[in-house]
Amino acid sequence: MRLKRLTAWCVALCLSAGLCACTLTGRRTLVLGIYAGSPWLVHESAAYQQIDEAIARFEAAHPTVDVVYESGIRMNDYRQWLNDSVVMGTVPDVFMVPDDLFGQYASLGVLKNLDPYLRQDDDCAEADFFPAAAQSGKYLYSQYALPFMMNPRLMFVNVTLLKEAGLQVPESGWTPEEFVALCQGLTKDRNQDGTADQYGVVDYGWLDLAEAYGLDLFSDDGRDVKLADSDVRRVTELYRSLMAFTGNEAERDMLMEAGRVAFAPMSYAEFVTYNPWPWKVKKYTGFEWICVNLPQVPDRKIRFTGDSIVMAMSATTRQEELAWDLMKEFCSGWQTQTQILENSQGMCALQTGARHLDSFLESSGVSGDTIRSIMNQEGTRVRFARYESAREQLASQMEKVAASQEDLDLALVETEDSIRSYLRS
């Protein structure tokens, strides 16, 4: 295979030269913006193999087109690399967009609106993707990116601790109230020194509980927030109770490895990496554990709360049709998406047959039904320019409210005013 990885100055030359220079030789160049390794801070064994294979399939179908990318950009540096390209006017034709940059880029006009392409293309439709995946590429109500790879959130369950306590392992459909009750029963002072040393849960925050209730806190335009609500009050009261059964977040890994915590949110990427199957990376091996759905209130529209990597088209690209075809190869190409499922630490964005997904996950410690139920969540996630940062601000302030003894109604009013001011600043 012809080398696709270029040095930074070669990529910049392709970007600045544009289409006209490329057509002098009868060939055209598409510049792809990608990162190296896993975006979710777990071991990734095939950083470029899947990318190169997808490029090879695209180039075989487009013999006069070369796809190039700069290699070696780690995820921690990729955000700055993208920001620099926006400032310098050298945005790649097609590029991967992390969650925390998506709303900002869409609002600034960096991304091309893909609605016209989806309407006109019989080979690619929103319905081809899992609903949660399709939502990850929406800004307000339009599609500004196609989903490439997903990272659902699961709940790690220490089965051994539950069996020792004579408690039933939770299944799909367990409620937040049932979750809190289990955490209470599993929090113990095992060495009798007056301090708990086994906990019900670790790393589960106020925002997790709010999502379990399907709360829609922000207005669609991103200028308002609603906290003066009975469900918000209920969530905060329940979370105050849960805090007594929660381990120190800074000790998450230690508590999990020592088998001294019953529950912990765990990303799909972490699950497939540290589960003995299929990656054989030894961790959490001294006890029996599985992953299940996060608890949630029944009959509510629950939003997908995991992470995603989406692929977007530059608003300034001169090669829209080619860029669209390249995006389709990555995001709706069956071979590429199947490889993501089978050979990476991410979950594919494209709908896969139940038999194929079940076969891959067989004996893995999580069921295909669990993954499908998460990926089929249809609660709308209407993202605006400051969506991610607003969620972080809200989570931080509500954690403080829950931890304080301040009058709850007054605290909610003050927090609502504070977040609203942030949104409108």
Side-chain angles (χ1 to χ4, degrees):
M1 188 189 322
R2 189 156 32 84
L3 185 66
K4 294 297 161 196
R5 308 172 197 176
L6 301 183
T7 61
W9 73 267
C10 286
V11 173
L13 180 62
C14 292
L15 286 163
S16 60
L19 177 63
C20 296
C22 295
T23 57
L24 293 176
T25 62
R27 303 192 64 80
R28 288 173 288 180
T29 298
L30 278 178
V31 178
L32 175 65
I34 60 171
Y35 53 85
S38 170
W40 298 303
L41 303 179
V42 294
H43 173 71
E44 175 63 74
S45 59
Y48 289 111
Q49 181 179 345
Q50 295 174 66
I51 298 295
D52 288 339
E53 290 178 4
I55 289 173
R57 287 190 290 271
F58 172 83
E59 289 183 342
H62 302 80
T64 63
V65 181
D66 297 314
V67 178
V68 299
Y69 62 85
E70 180 180 343
S71 65
I73 307 173
R74 306 305 300 181
M75 190 60 182
N76 288 341
D77 302 318
Y78 183 69
R79 291 171 176 82
Q80 187 60 52
W81 184 87
L82 271 182
N83 286 334
D84 290 344
S85 75
V86 171
V87 172
M88 294 186 296
T90 57
V91 181
D93 298 289
V94 174
F95 56 102
M96 295 180 184
V97 188
D99 265 337
D100 58 346
L101 291 180
F102 176 73
Q104 177 187 1
Y105 279 11
S107 68
L108 292 174
V110 176
L111 315 181
K112 188 174 287 291
N113 189 323
L114 302 179
D115 286 347
Y117 299 92
L118 287 168
R119 284 195 295 266
Q120 298 168 13
D121 195 324
D122 295 333
D123 297 325
C124 183
E126 182 178 334
D128 296 338
F129 303 100
F130 286 108
Q135 281 285 338
S136 69
K138 285 185 181 292
Y139 173 71
L140 299 179
Y141 295 101
S142 290
Q143 201 79 37
Y144 278 84
L146 294 183
F148 172 65
M149 185 187 301
M150 307 298 290
N151 190 16
R153 290 183 87 223
L154 305 163
M155 182 66 88
F156 161 94
V157 180
N158 186 322
V159 176
T160 298
L161 285 185
L162 271 79
K163 287 182 176 179
E164 288 176 352
L167 298 172
Q168 186 174 354
V169 176
E171 299 178 351
S172 296
W174 61 320
T175 67
E177 287 74 16
E178 291 169 337
F179 166 58
V180 173
L182 284 172
C183 289
Q184 180 177 10
L186 289 160
T187 300
K188 297 180 179 180
D189 176 12
R190 301 187 70 150
N191 62 7
Q192 302 297 312
D193 68 350
T195 304
D197 49 26
Q198 175 182 299
Y199 299 94
V201 67
V202 67
D203 197 24
Y204 185 91
W206 180 90
L207 196 57
D208 292 309
L209 202 53
E211 294 290 1
Y213 271 73
L215 299 188
D216 196 9
L217 301 172
F218 297 108
S219 62
D220 289 355
D221 62 4
R223 291 185 56 79
D224 206 358
V225 63
K226 183 180 180 183
L227 299 181
D229 180 272
S230 60
D231 276 344
V232 175
R233 199 180 203 288
R234 169 61 179 158
V235 164
T236 309
E237 290 174 335
L238 191 60
Y239 186 69
R240 278 181 169 175
S241 300
L242 183 64
M243 292 177 75
F245 319 125
T246 300
N248 188 336
E249 183 177 343
E251 299 178 349
R252 174 187 185 269
D253 289 347
M254 182 274 289
L255 290 171
M256 292 174 71
E257 289 178 25
R260 292 200 285 118
V261 64
F263 303 110
M266 174 180 280
S267 73
Y268 177 85
E270 187 179 4
F271 165 76
V272 298
T273 301
Y274 297 130
N275 190 346
W277 180 98
W279 298 103
K280 310 301 182 186
V281 178
K282 292 184 179 180
K283 198 171 186 181
Y284 316 134
T285 56
F287 48 87
E288 181 185 357
W289 65 279
I290 61 172
C291 279
V292 300
N293 299 69
L294 292 162
Q296 61 188 55
V297 175
D299 303 321
R300 299 282 182 101
K301 283 195 172 182
I302 306 298
R303 286 182 294 273
F304 177 85
T305 58
D307 299 314
S308 62
I309 293 292
V310 297
M311 190 161 279
M313 185 192 307
S314 169
T316 59
T317 182
R318 305 183 195 180
Q319 306 180 87
E320 293 93 339
E321 297 303 324
L322 286 174
W324 174 246
D325 286 348
L326 181 61
M327 292 175 66
K328 288 197 300 179
E329 175 58 50
F330 279 101
C331 301
S332 62
W334 175 255
Q335 285 181 273
T336 305
Q337 287 291 307
T338 300
Q339 286 181 339
I340 287 174
L341 176 64
E342 297 177 350
N343 301 318
S344 80
Q345 281 79 354
M347 178 65 196
C348 58
L350 193 70
Q351 296 263 21
T352 55
R355 183 177 300 177
H356 183 76
L357 182 58
D358 291 345
S359 175
F360 173 72
L361 293 173
E362 185 178 4
S363 303
S364 70
V366 67
S367 71
D369 286 342
T370 294
I371 297 298
R372 272 189 295 276
S373 69
I374 297 171
M375 296 298 294
N376 285 326
Q377 288 172 338
E378 297 187 86
T380 302
R381 181 167 62 155
V382 180
R383 296 205 281 187
F384 44 87
R386 305 173 77 178
Y387 178 79
E388 300 296 341
S389 60
R391 278 171 52 86
E392 290 178 6
Q393 288 270 354
L394 177 61
S396 176
Q397 294 195 36
M398 289 305 300
E399 292 281 342
K400 294 176 182 177
V401 168
S404 75
Q405 299 302 313
E406 185 180 356
D407 177 78
L408 185 53
D409 292 320
L410 177 61
L412 290 177
V413 170
E414 291 175 345
T415 304
E416 183 178 84
D417 289 342
S418 174
I419 297 298
R420 184 179 294 118
S421 297
Y422 171 76
L423 291 170
R424 297 179 182 181
S425 63

